[in-house]
Amino acid sequence: MEQILLQHYSLTIQKQKKLDGYASINYQVTTDTGHQYVSKVYTQPEDFVLAAEESRILNAIQHKIPVEVPITIPNISGELLSQNPDGSLTRLLPYIEGMFIAEVAHTPELLFSLGQAMGKVNQALAAEHSDSIQARRLFWDLQYAYLNEPKMAYITPAADQNLVWYFFDQYQYVVRPQLPYLRHGLIHGDLNDWNILTQGNQVTAFIDFGDIAYTPLIHELAIALTYMMLGKENPFEVILPVIKGYQSVIPLLREEVELLPMLITTRLCVSVCNSAEAKANAADTEYILISEKPAWELLRYWISCNPVAITNLFLQAAGLETSDYETQKTETAHKRSLYLGKSLGLSYQQPIHLHSAAFQYMYDTAGNTYLDAYNNIPHVGHCHPKVSEAISRQVRLLNTNTRYLYDSLADYAEKLLAYFPPSLNKIFFVNSGSMASDLAIRMAHTYTQRRHNLVLEMGYHGNTITGIDISSYKFDGKGGKGQPDCISVLPLPNLFNGLFQTTTEYVTHARQLLEQLEAEGKKVSAFIAEPISGCGGQMPLAPGYLKALYAELHRRGIVTISDEVQTGFGRLGHWFWGFQMHEVVPDMVVLGKPMGNGHPIAAVVTTTAIADAFANGMEFFSSFGGNPVSTEAAKAVLEVLEEEQLQTHAKDTGDYFMAQLQSLQKTYPVLGDVRGSGLFLGIEFVKVGTHEPDTTLAARIKNQLKDQFILTGTDGRYDNVLKIKPPMCFNRKNADLFCAMLAKLLL
Ligand code: PMP
């Protein structure tokens, strides 16, 4: 080093200190006269041309910009780069004074000056051109962010990896197709907080142009904003002066600002992917890991933020008109009432006009984020990227029906049946829980050659004619015509405020009913029930009830059907299927809702004997049932459940949630009962000191929770039970928020 600097620059070095660097090895050097420089040594031939171009460009713009940049000091022969004996190149830069922006308070004035400086630099760079810079495919450059996607594999646990995938997915589908049409220019490309120098509340210099890129101009702002947001309590508000500063120099275009949020999340993803790779390779990690923790914090925080609100905040800062969905909402509501039947309900006194959703959050068009404690259909999370990817991949490849051979159907059937006891080994695919329960009843009829069915009070199993016939919730509810002749109803074995106080009484009652039906010559074909009654108010069937009842039913050749539409797929935490909590094995299982995470796939799982009896010559065919797009979606759901260990997560979160609710119960006696398992919980509201329902209070709490941006619903015979059945990624923090809000509303 000393020799090179002496030979090429006539400088005598007294002190040298290694600095962080990426493409080059950097030293801070002090000469005998006390002058300071930065010397950069480039060892890779592919960096030589770029270093020369960077030097040429910076030297060209230095006088056109209000900030200092590391111009290259020519050697004694007037060359910008000096050849070293080992073939490497040295480049000498002035040492620029100042405090890094990372080390000072981020006042609005400072951040405005950052935006302004960036704008001026981008403006000056617009006059420059470099073929070699333009040809480079740098993985930090946001137009090539997809080059980082394979590095997601280094991220653990899987839930974190899938969060990054969600944001990369938005990049691929929303951002990337638009990039070629945006304004391009040369940009610094890495204005992180250790590349920005300040003096006296003003940005005074940009250093390290090693990532200089020809790319959409907006990337400059996106990257700088990313780093300015890290570690901030109110990250979106904090950065607005940067946008305003930039905007004062280069007026931003609407299409640029609208992409800013996703460009920022993309940069965060690029950052965490490279941190994960560096850690896995045990590389010189300190420099690259600097932003890892705050980047993760910001990504996790980001999904709790409404994208409409973020975009509007940025649009406003850029002096552009914000998006207003109010007219659209009114129009949608109007069209809906015009074209759809009145029997379709809308939740809440003030319905929610949705924009989008991610994992356990739903975003409305007014800019609010709702914590979803209610929707169990998006089982592994709203818009989970693994499911989205599976669907979009398969729908482009092949979508057909079960009359043809394709691998996905058989593979998924094998994978799903592995979750069942060996006797349940045949599967029939359909497209809704209703179709599945309807089919189950039909199969039972074929198998038993009987017609009468036994159901539980408050049960709901579907919207077909048979579905309504077997759903006491419907035929005994509003608009219902009462119990059909072919149905007998057993009381819901509810030990909180049901007909009896003990399991034995419920079982005895059931046995008596069976005997009575026999005496009347009514031959019972099937018994259908949920292991925890959802419409019955998240009521777990009394312990021991199903075990004793199943024994009675099996003795009489009656087919037992467990409706796992709500309770299946690990939701209960302790058990993968609800029937396991009752230590029974049904003859048939009805599946739906969570099976495809919202993609319409449902199924009946049954025994060989029943499946064989059903093969009586009449073909069973469902146009959409078991199509490869559906089975790929469903396969992805199982894979996510496994890799994110969501059953264990549901148990852990559910146990924690339940304990919090139980402790609230001590303070608020209106919480008559809290019950359920895993992430399938219910809170029953009662009049203090009694088990009498308080329907009004339950409705108030449901609507007020919604006003506080937490989604739940009510159900039960008296509609006084708050139902909690969120996407399975719902976590302890979410449970804390729920409980804190509930307590506040009960005060
Ligand atoms: N069974 C149960 C237990 C359900 O909760 C539902 C839907 N709420 C169904 C069956 C019917 O499913 P689908 O709405 O998919 O037809």
Side-chain angles (χ1 to χ4, degrees):
M1 175 67 62
E2 283 95 340
Q3 261 190 350
I4 290 163
L5 294 185
L6 184 61
Q7 187 190 336
H8 290 296
Y9 301 91
S10 299
L11 295 175
T12 310
I13 302 307
Q14 280 216 320
K15 253 190 353 203
Q16 65 183 58
K17 182 177 139 201
K18 197 157 185 263
L19 301 174
D20 292 325
Y22 235 45
S24 55
I25 307 160
N26 303 335
Y27 294 93
Q28 179 185 346
V29 295
T30 312
T31 65
D32 54 351
T33 54
H35 286 95
Q36 293 199 32
Y37 298 91
V38 173
S39 111
K40 283 176 166 284
V41 179
Y42 296 87
T43 56
Q44 304 300 316
E46 64 266 26
D47 295 325
F48 295 173
V49 178
L50 292 163
E53 287 292 85
E54 186 189 321
S55 300
R56 176 181 67 74
I57 291 168
L58 292 188
N59 287 23
I61 66 163
Q62 60 175 312
H63 300 301
K64 299 185 195 165
I65 52 177
V67 286
E68 239 186 298
V69 290
I71 50 150
T72 304
I73 300 167
N75 62 22
I76 48 178
S77 321
E79 295 156 340
L80 295 179
L81 299 171
S82 310
Q83 182 90 42
N84 302 326
D86 64 357
S88 64
L89 291 184
T90 291
R91 181 176 158 217
L92 192 69
L93 314 171
Y95 181 79
I96 302 178
E97 296 291 340
M99 298 278 281
F100 287 108
I101 204 167
E103 302 170 306
V104 300
H106 293 174
T107 63
E109 186 191 343
L110 178 70
L111 294 180
F112 186 89
S113 88
L114 166 62
Q116 235 180 357
M118 253 191 298
K120 291 268 166 66
V121 169
N122 286 173
Q123 236 174 14
L125 284 172
E128 304 303 322
H129 177 85
S130 166
D131 283 340
S132 39
I133 289 174
Q134 204 160 327
R136 175 159 68 153
R137 285 205 314 162
L138 190 65
F139 63 78
W140 291 103
D141 180 350
L142 290 174
Q143 68 183 315
Y144 301 118
Y146 56 87
L147 296 175
N148 298 278
E149 286 189 24
K151 299 175 194 169
M152 282 195 292
Y154 293 111
I155 297 172
T156 52
D160 282 350
Q161 192 182 118
N162 290 332
L163 177 67
V164 168
W165 190 1
Y166 170 78
F167 287 114
F168 265 140
D169 193 58
Q170 291 188 326
Y171 168 80
Q172 287 285 18
Y173 283 90
V174 183
V175 179
R176 204 175 150 199
Q178 296 188 56
L179 294 183
Y181 306 102
L182 297 180
R183 282 194 276 193
H184 280 55
L186 281 173
I187 64 165
H188 175 289
D190 187 21
L191 286 174
N192 74 57
D193 41 4
W194 294 99
N195 282 339
I196 302 167
L197 286 159
T198 70
Q199 283 180 39
N201 218 13
Q202 291 290 314
V203 165
T204 49
F206 292 153
I207 61 167
D208 189 359
F209 278 69
D211 285 359
I212 189 167
Y214 181 80
T215 194
L217 208 53
I218 193 68
H219 290 174
E220 187 83 297
L221 189 55
I223 292 165
L225 292 178
T226 306
Y227 292 96
M228 288 303 107
M229 291 179 93
L230 295 182
K232 299 287 180 358
E233 209 164 287
N234 204 348
F236 296 104
E237 303 288 341
V238 163
I239 56 166
L240 300 181
V242 186
I243 300 177
K244 289 179 185 160
Y246 191 88
Q247 158 79 12
S248 71
V249 182
I250 300 181
L252 290 162
L253 305 174
R254 187 174 192 88
E255 59 268 29
E256 292 174 327
V257 180
E258 284 180 342
L259 287 183
L260 258 183
M262 286 184 189
L263 286 169
I264 296 173
T265 50
T266 303
R267 178 64 179 206
L268 289 168
C269 291
V270 172
S271 174
V272 296
C273 278
N274 284 288
S275 302
E277 185 193 33
K279 268 205 257 184
N281 296 337
D284 178 13
T285 50
E286 205 181 320
Y287 184 51
I288 195 163
L289 294 183
I290 228 166
S291 51
E292 193 197 15
K293 194 165 166 273
W296 273 115
E297 281 166 8
L298 187 52
L299 278 175
R300 291 201 182 97
Y301 172 65
W302 204 290
I303 56 156
S304 71
C305 301
N306 182 296
V308 176
I310 298 171
T311 309
N312 273 345
L313 210 56
F314 289 1
L315 282 168
Q316 203 176 17
L320 295 163
E321 203 183 325
T322 55
S323 302
D324 183 358
Y325 294 86
E326 208 40 50
T327 316
Q328 209 170 314
K329 179 180 177 178
T330 314
E331 225 168 80
T332 296
H334 174 66
K335 272 197 242 171
R336 187 183 152 113
S337 64
L338 206 59
Y339 302 127
L340 301 173
K342 279 195 193 131
S343 54
L344 267 83
L346 270 173
S347 291
Y348 308 109
Q349 283 151 1
Q350 296 296 322
I352 303 169
H353 185 220
L354 286 169
H355 174 271
S356 49
F359 299 97
Q360 68 272 47
Y361 298 101
M362 298 183 87
Y363 316 114
D364 75 2
T365 52
N368 305 304
T369 298
Y370 292 90
L371 172 62
D372 186 358
Y374 186 66
N375 288 291
N376 52 352
I377 300 172
H379 193 56
V380 297
H382 289 276
C383 303
H384 194 289
K386 191 156 201 150
V387 183
S388 313
E389 191 275 336
I391 293 170
S392 57
R393 173 176 34 79
Q394 187 61 42
V395 83
R396 288 175 170 87
L397 193 65
L398 172 73
N399 197 9
T400 183
N401 62 68
T402 49
R403 289 204 176 114
Y404 299 94
L405 263 182
Y406 46 90
D407 301 341
S408 185
L409 179 74
D411 288 348
Y412 177 63
E414 183 180 41
K415 189 167 175 60
L416 180 64
L417 288 174
Y419 283 89
F420 284 93
S423 62
L424 291 165
N425 54 15
K426 289 284 180 285
I427 182 161
F428 293 79
F429 290 104
V430 286
N431 303 105
S432 69
S434 301
M435 288 159 73
S437 57
D438 189 299
L439 176 63
I441 295 292
R442 183 154 79 90
M443 290 173 91
H445 287 186
T446 312
Y447 176 68
T448 59
Q449 293 297 310
R450 306 174 188 168
R451 278 286 173 275
H452 205 80
N453 294 307
L454 203 54
V455 301
L456 277 191
E457 169 203 4
M458 291 305 289
Y460 176 67
H461 306 288
N463 58 26
T464 62
I465 290 182
T466 302
I468 301 299
D469 277 356
I470 58 173
S471 298
S472 134
Y473 181 70
K474 290 291 183 192
F475 63 66
D476 282 334
K478 274 190 206 158
K481 290 217 172 86
Q483 183 177 327
D485 289 342
C486 59
I487 299 294
S488 293
V489 184
L490 288 168
L492 180 64
N494 158 6
L495 293 186
F496 178 66
N497 52 3
L499 186 62
F500 304 121
Q501 268 74 52
T502 63
T503 301
T504 314
E505 287 170 284
Y506 281 112
V507 174
T508 307
H509 178 274
R511 195 180 298 120
Q512 284 165 353
L513 179 71
L514 285 168
E515 283 161 7
Q516 186 193 325
L517 290 171
E518 269 165 2
E520 291 170 7
K522 287 185 178 158
K523 298 225 160 94
V524 179
S525 167
F527 165 73
I528 185 166
E530 285 182 278
I532 299 182
S533 173
C535 293
Q538 307 293 85
M539 179 61 73
L541 307 191
Y545 174 78
L546 270 193
K547 200 168 183 177
L549 181 61
Y550 268 32
E552 292 290 338
L553 298 171
H554 282 150
R555 263 195 320 119
R556 293 168 167 84
I558 298 169
V559 170
T560 51
I561 306 172
S562 186
D563 183 337
E564 302 277 349
V565 165
Q566 301 253 2
T567 49
F569 290 96
R571 173 163 296 280
L572 302 187
H574 298 259
W575 306 280
F576 198 82
W577 305 115
F579 61 77
Q580 293 165 325
M581 88 186 267
H582 296 289
E583 297 172 332
V584 295
V585 177
D587 302 310
M588 278 191 195
V589 176
V590 170
L591 305 176
K593 286 189 196 291
M595 195 172 178
N597 214 46
H599 183 89
I601 176 167
V604 175
V605 175
T606 189
T607 61
T608 302
I610 293 176
D612 285 351
F614 192 56
N616 63 357
M618 185 190 288
E619 186 198 14
F620 173 73
F621 178 70
S622 164
S623 299
F624 304 137
N627 74 70
V629 175
S630 298
T631 50
E632 282 302 293
K635 195 146 45 116
V637 169
L638 283 183
E639 282 166 7
V640 176
L641 281 173
E642 288 164 11
E643 70 188 23
E644 295 189 13
Q645 298 173 23
L646 286 175
Q647 187 187 345
T648 311
H649 176 82
K651 177 177 169 354
D652 175 68
T653 312
D655 288 353
Y656 175 81
F657 204 165
M658 180 63 107
Q660 303 292 98
L661 291 172
Q662 280 165 344
S663 84
L664 278 184
Q665 243 188 323
K666 293 190 190 116
T667 320
Y668 304 100
V670 289
L671 307 179
D673 192 24
V674 293
R675 56 183 177 243
S677 179
L679 287 172
F680 198 63
L681 304 174
I683 306 171
E684 176 145 3
F685 289 90
V686 294
K687 304 255 164 67
V688 175
T690 72
H691 281 191
E692 280 172 43
D694 194 338
T695 307
T696 316
L697 179 62
R700 171 170 81 77
I701 296 294
K702 174 182 76 173
N703 280 295
Q704 287 183 336
L705 278 173
K706 179 252 171 184
D707 293 342
Q708 298 300 321
F709 313 112
I710 297 176
L711 301 183
T712 57
T714 50
D715 228 325
R717 174 185 276 276
Y718 305 102
D719 207 20
N720 65 325
V721 180
L722 207 60
K723 295 209 282 192
I724 300 169
K725 46 192 184 98
M728 297 274 278
C729 44
F730 194 91
N731 58 37
R732 284 180 177 222
K733 267 193 185 163
N734 299 144
D736 285 341
L737 180 73
F738 184 103
C739 292
M741 199 53 76
L742 180 61
K744 206 167 133 189
L745 297 176
L746 288 172
L747 269 182

